Amino acid sequence: RLLGEKTLIKELNPGMMAGYASRRLKEDSPARKDQKIRPATVNKERMQLNTSLNKAVAHGKLSVNPLAGKMKKLPEDNIRERVLNTGEFERLLECLASPLKEMTLVAFYLGMRQKEIVELSWDQVDLEKNLIRLRGEDTKTGFKRRIPIHPRIRVIIENLPRGIRSKRVFLNHGRPIRAFVGSCKRQWYNAVKEAGLGDFTFHDLRHCAINNLRLAGNDHFTIMTISGNKTPSVFK
């Protein structure tokens, strides 16, 4: 759309990609009202293109990637420091309905990622050992994790209805939730607004969980093991 449908791969160059970046940064964000596309988004898009071209070279479809090592990453200011206190969190819960309410509790207490929660299945829940077991293919980093189940979450899990045709833990009217989109996303933003939390995302619940684990006296190694942060820099 921006590079041109008739543009050949061999015609790609750093100047063209710089122009792409400047045009994208001026476009409105489809996810954040009254905000523009962020540098992190543009960096990911350009990285995907570069990765595709490298794959083409590796498979003998291209002799050379014209962008290899020639694109500078845009500076990103995407560090989030927003965490909720107990009162704010309970206020948010009052504005949510099932199954988003239960998913929010899991994110706040267990620090699981959004996709991990949406796709959580009953075979990953070990109530006997009081653990949620995520395989490598279930996690963002590719490493398996064992997550202790908080007492409040255990009560929730024990009282959730089981699906007839689905192994998913969180169901919407008996059907598995495909992704955090549509009515689920609208309900989240409406609840955040109603609770008066300002700029607060579902992913910020993960930061709350990590911060609460730290305040509870857990060492950094233990928290990183539970949350799945691969490096100290990402954890910080």
Side-chain angles (χ1 to χ4, degrees), residues 3-226:
L3 293 176
E5 294 181 3
K6 296 183 179 180
T7 300
L8 300 177
I9 290 176
K10 65 181 180 181
E11 296 172 344
L12 295 174
N13 58 65
M16 186 181 293
M17 297 311 299
Y20 171 86
S22 63
R23 291 176 68 183
R24 278 294 278 150
L25 291 172
K26 294 176 183 177
E27 294 185 337
D28 294 329
S29 170
R32 300 177 179 84
K33 189 177 181 180
D34 300 325
Q35 293 189 40
K36 300 296 183 181
I37 295 293
R38 293 182 176 179
T41 299
V42 178
N43 282 335
K44 288 176 183 177
E45 291 171 351
R46 299 199 302 174
M47 180 178 67
Q48 287 174 337
L49 174 59
N50 195 45
T51 299
S52 298
L53 297 177
N54 284 335
K55 288 280 187 180
V57 172
H59 289 277
K61 303 297 182 181
L62 284 178
S63 59
V64 64
N65 174 2
L67 299 177
K70 298 178 181 179
M71 284 191 294
K72 290 186 178 181
K73 187 176 179 180
L74 300 175
E76 301 177 11
D77 182 17
N78 59 351
I79 296 176
R80 311 256 326 160
E81 298 179 345
R82 182 77 163 95
V83 294
L84 302 181
N85 57 42
T86 303
E88 289 174 322
F89 179 65
E90 294 300 330
R91 196 163 69 241
L92 174 63
L93 286 181
E94 292 176 1
C95 303
L96 294 170
S98 297
L100 185 53
K101 183 174 185 177
E102 289 80 9
M103 293 165 60
T104 297
L105 280 157
V106 170
F108 183 80
Y109 282 102
L110 305 188
M112 293 173 62
R113 293 182 175 90
Q114 186 184 101
K115 187 173 185 290
E116 296 168 348
I117 297 172
V118 169
E119 298 182 355
L120 184 66
S121 58
W122 286 110
D123 60 346
Q124 296 171 311
V125 181
D126 185 347
L127 291 177
E128 185 178 338
K129 297 287 182 64
N130 204 50
L131 292 170
I132 288 177
R133 303 176 186 273
L134 299 181
R135 299 159 299 186
E137 56 266 33
D138 302 323
T139 68
K140 178 181 178 180
T141 58
F143 290 93
K144 62 183 180 181
R145 302 209 313 275
R146 294 190 303 171
I147 305 169
I149 301 175
H150 187 277
R152 189 173 183 182
I153 302 304
R154 184 182 178 92
V155 173
I156 290 170
I157 290 177
E158 289 176 336
N159 287 282
L160 282 175
R162 300 261 183 150
I164 298 176
R165 297 182 178 86
S166 176
K167 295 181 179 179
R168 292 281 183 87
V169 173
F170 300 107
L171 303 173
N172 188 15
H173 300 296
R175 297 179 180 179
I177 301 168
R178 298 302 178 189
F180 199 83
V181 294
S183 60
C184 193
K185 198 167 188 177
R186 285 194 298 272
Q187 184 189 162
W188 172 262
Y189 284 121
N190 289 336
V192 168
K193 184 177 181 180
E194 186 178 346
L197 302 181
D199 179 21
F200 188 78
T201 68
F202 190 89
H203 187 75
D204 288 335
L205 293 168
R206 177 170 159 82
H207 302 162
C208 295
I210 293 172
N211 190 56
N212 288 337
L213 284 167
R214 181 182 61 83
L215 293 175
N218 294 285
D219 62 81
H220 288 186
F221 176 78
T222 299
I223 301 173
M224 289 175 65
T225 302
I226 293 172

